[in-house]
């Protein structure tokens, strides 16, 4: 806590310290003495000689004796010299800070400060540069010493970035939608890479080299509720997991936008255990035949769906009598979430979003119907056989099923 009672001697010494210290400020001296800036300013006004920042060694008259003309001239000359030096110092600092501004426009601010000092150390002394950009000289020299190691890491990162580009390049069999987790899994599966790669490093390199995976976009309403006397319970209750293959499925319809303003529609059947797309169909309509074709494709893929549960929303095609008859024929038990709740069919909704994000790759539409069918076919096939799925421990659904060493059962 600052003292509240000060002796006359303390006041005179405080004023003398301020006036005799080169480059001193009221705040700086006041902070050193533990007093308020305003208090020191008042003492300087009442007790000071009018001199400021006089160089150390400037002759000063003893306290109580007026200074002679020669002493006053010497003091004023010394003050002029000090003021000129202070002006030169300020101009130098302004010049340094103007040049420093562009270094701090973005990126790592601390690294930018070190780099600025390194780039200007031949024009200005390192001590002054470090003071102005507020870094310690020891830290700067440690940063300079570590330059070879940083260069080696940067070279390694460039090589890793090239490997990531290859993984994302469709021309090389890659997938441009892959983000850091899937890229990491791909790299660690590649025996030619050598040591395993940490996912945090992969994410950093992808960020620094602009290699982020694809993200996307809009929605069109594809669920048209149909009032029906048929009451279908929700057998999943948002539990989209299954202990075995071919026991629980989810499905939905999503739109595929075309450049002419029309849409195609995709119906899906997805296994909750492996996330495999076991059945799917594309058409230019949303009639019951669309979802029937998808379920028939799943039945053909599995050989039998007897005893399995198929979960959907309350769209009119799923509540139709024709679809109910097909489910009964295949031995499938229907399950439906609440009307208007997309969360009750979140797995299918997520699949649809992923498909369009990765297939459209940022574009608003497909070129035409043939383009849409061709690209969806390629993606759906790759999704099952090659695309790494986080649910499957970054294996493809087909590989995941094979590694489970489980024969596809007839659900009963």
């Amino acid at each position: 806590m600052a003292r509240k009672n000060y002796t006359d001697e303390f006041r005179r010494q405080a004023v003398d310290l301020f006036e005799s210290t080169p480059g001193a400020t009221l705040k700086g001296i006041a902070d050193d003495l533990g007093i308020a800036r305003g208090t020191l300013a008042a003492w300087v006004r009442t007790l000071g000689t009018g001199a400021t920042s006089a160089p150390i060694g400037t002759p000063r008259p003893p306290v109580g004796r007026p200074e002679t003309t020669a002493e006053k001239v010497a003091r004023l000359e010394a003050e002029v010299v000090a003021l000129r030096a202070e002006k030169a110092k300020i101009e130098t600092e302004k010049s340094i800070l103007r040049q420093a501004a562009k270094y701090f426009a973005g990126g790592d601010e601390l690294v930018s400060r070190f780099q600025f000092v390194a780039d200007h150390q031949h024009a200005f002394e390192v001590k002054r540069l470090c003071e102005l950009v507020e870094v310690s000289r020891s830290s700067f020299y440690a940063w300079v010493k570590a330059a070879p190691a940083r260069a080696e890491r940067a070279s390694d990162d460039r090589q890793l970035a090239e490997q990531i580009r290859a993984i994302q390049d469709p021309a090389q069999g890659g997938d441009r939608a892959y983000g850091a987790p899937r890229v990491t899994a791909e790299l660690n599966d590649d025996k030619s890479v050598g040591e395993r790669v940490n996912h945090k490093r992969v994410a950093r390199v992808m960020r620094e080299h602009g290699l982020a995976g694809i993200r996307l976009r809009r929605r069109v309403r594809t669920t048209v509720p149909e009032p029906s006397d048929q009451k279908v319970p929700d057998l999943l209750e948002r539990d989209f997991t299954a202990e075995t293959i071919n026991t629980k499925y989810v499905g939905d319809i999503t739109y595929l936008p075309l450049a002419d303003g029309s849409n195609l529609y995709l119906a899906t059947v997805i296994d909750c255990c492996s996330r495999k797309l076991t059945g799917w169909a594309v058409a230019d309509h949303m009639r019951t035949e669309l979802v029937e074709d998808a379920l028939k494709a799943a039945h053909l893929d599995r050989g039998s769906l007897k005893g399995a549960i198929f979960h959907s929303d309350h769209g009119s095609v799923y509540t139709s009598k024709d679809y109910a008859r097909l489910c009964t024929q295949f031995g499938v038990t229907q399950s439906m979430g609440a009307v208007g709740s997309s969360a009750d069919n979140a797995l299918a909704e997520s699949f649809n979003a992923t498909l369009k994000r990765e297939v459209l790759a940022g574009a608003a539409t497909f070129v035409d119907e043939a383009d849409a069918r061709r690209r969806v076919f390629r993606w759906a096939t790759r999704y099952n056989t090659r695309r790494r799925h986080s649910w499957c421990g970054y294996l493809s659904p087909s590989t995941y099923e094979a590694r489970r060493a489980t024969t596809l059962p007839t659900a009963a």
Side-chain angles (χ1 to χ4, degrees), residues 2 15 53 108 257 307 314 324-325 358 368:
V15 172
S53 303
D108 187 318
H314 271 79
R325 277 195 293 268
E358 297 186 1
D368 53 28

Side-chain angles (χ1 to χ4, degrees), residues 119-135:
D119 291 346
H120 294 83
Q121 61 183 322
H122 301 297
F124 307 98
E125 62 176 341
V126 171
K127 178 182 178 181
R128 175 56 58 82
L129 289 168
C130 289
E131 288 175 350
L132 286 177
V133 298
E134 299 180 343
V135 296

Side-chain angles (χ1 to χ4, degrees), residues 115 125 161 191 194 309 352 358 397:
Q115 190 62 58
E125 62 176 341
K191 304 306 180 183
I309 295 172
N352 291 339
E358 297 186 1

Side-chain angles (χ1 to χ4, degrees), residues 61-338:
V63 176
R65 179 177 71 77
E67 63 182 346
T68 64
T69 301
E71 289 172 339
K72 186 173 183 180
V73 169
R75 176 173 60 78
L76 292 175
E77 287 179 344
E79 289 178 8
V80 169
V81 172
L83 289 172
R84 287 175 177 170
E86 181 67 15
K87 180 182 178 182
K89 175 186 175 185
I90 292 173
E91 290 298 326
T92 299
E93 291 178 351
K94 287 171 61 178
S95 174
I96 292 173
L97 292 174
R98 276 195 299 268
Q99 296 178 57
K102 65 180 180 180
Y103 280 76
F104 308 130
D108 187 318
E109 184 178 339
L110 182 59
V111 171
S112 297
R113 295 181 187 190
F114 288 148
Q115 190 62 58
F116 172 75
V117 175
D119 291 346
H120 294 83
Q121 61 183 322
H122 301 297
F124 307 98
E125 62 176 341
V126 171
K127 178 182 178 181
R128 175 56 58 82
L129 289 168
C130 289
E131 288 175 350
L132 286 177
V133 298
E134 299 180 343
V135 296
S136 69
R137 278 184 291 170
S138 60
S139 297
F140 167 70
Y141 287 123
W143 180 82
V144 171
K145 186 177 181 180
R150 286 198 306 277
E152 184 178 352
R153 285 196 299 272
S155 176
D156 292 342
D157 286 349
R158 286 192 294 271
Q159 293 178 19
L160 180 59
E162 289 304 314
Q163 292 173 322
I164 294 171
R165 288 191 181 93
I167 289 172
Q168 292 183 325
D169 185 0
Q172 300 183 49
D175 191 331
R176 57 185 170 177
Y178 271 20
R182 291 185 176 86
V183 168
T184 303
E186 193 76 27
L187 288 166
N188 288 333
D189 259 7
D190 186 352
K191 304 306 180 183
S192 65
V193 172
E195 295 183 1
R196 291 181 65 82
V197 185
N198 182 277
H199 72 281
K200 292 182 180 179
R201 181 187 174 205
V202 171
R204 175 180 58 78
V205 170
M206 292 180 68
R207 181 172 60 253
E208 291 173 354
H209 289 78
L211 300 173
I214 299 167
R215 294 174 173 82
L216 203 69
R217 202 167 212 104
R218 67 167 192 171
R219 290 179 62 87
V220 166
R221 188 183 185 203
T222 54
T223 301
V224 182
E226 176 68 22
S228 174
D229 293 335
Q230 182 186 15
K231 300 298 181 182
V232 178
D234 184 349
L235 302 178
L236 269 58
E237 296 182 342
R238 302 188 183 182
D239 178 11
F240 303 109
T241 63
E243 294 296 325
T244 57
I245 296 166
N246 197 27
T247 56
K248 288 167 63 174
Y249 292 91
V250 297
D252 195 12
I253 297 176
T254 190
Y255 75 100
L256 304 173
L258 306 181
D260 63 5
S262 63
N263 293 313
L264 291 180
Y265 299 92
L266 169 71
T268 57
V269 180
I270 306 164
D271 193 307
C272 289
C273 178
S274 65
R275 302 306 200 248
K276 181 180 180 181
L277 180 62
T278 55
W280 55 280
V282 176
D284 59 0
H285 61 79
M286 288 197 299
R287 296 191 295 272
T288 305
E289 301 96 279
L290 174 63
V291 293
E292 287 180 330
D293 288 344
L295 191 64
K296 289 175 181 177
H299 181 267
L300 181 63
D301 180 83
R302 291 308 199 196
S304 173
L305 296 175
K306 186 177 180 181
I309 295 172
F310 176 77
H311 182 83
S312 67
D313 57 31
H314 271 79
S316 59
V317 291
Y318 291 116
T319 59
S320 69
K321 293 180 180 179
D322 287 342
Y323 192 73
R325 277 195 293 268
L326 183 63
C327 288
T328 300
Q329 178 185 333
F330 288 159
V332 173
T333 301
Q334 283 187 270
S335 168
M336 293 184 187

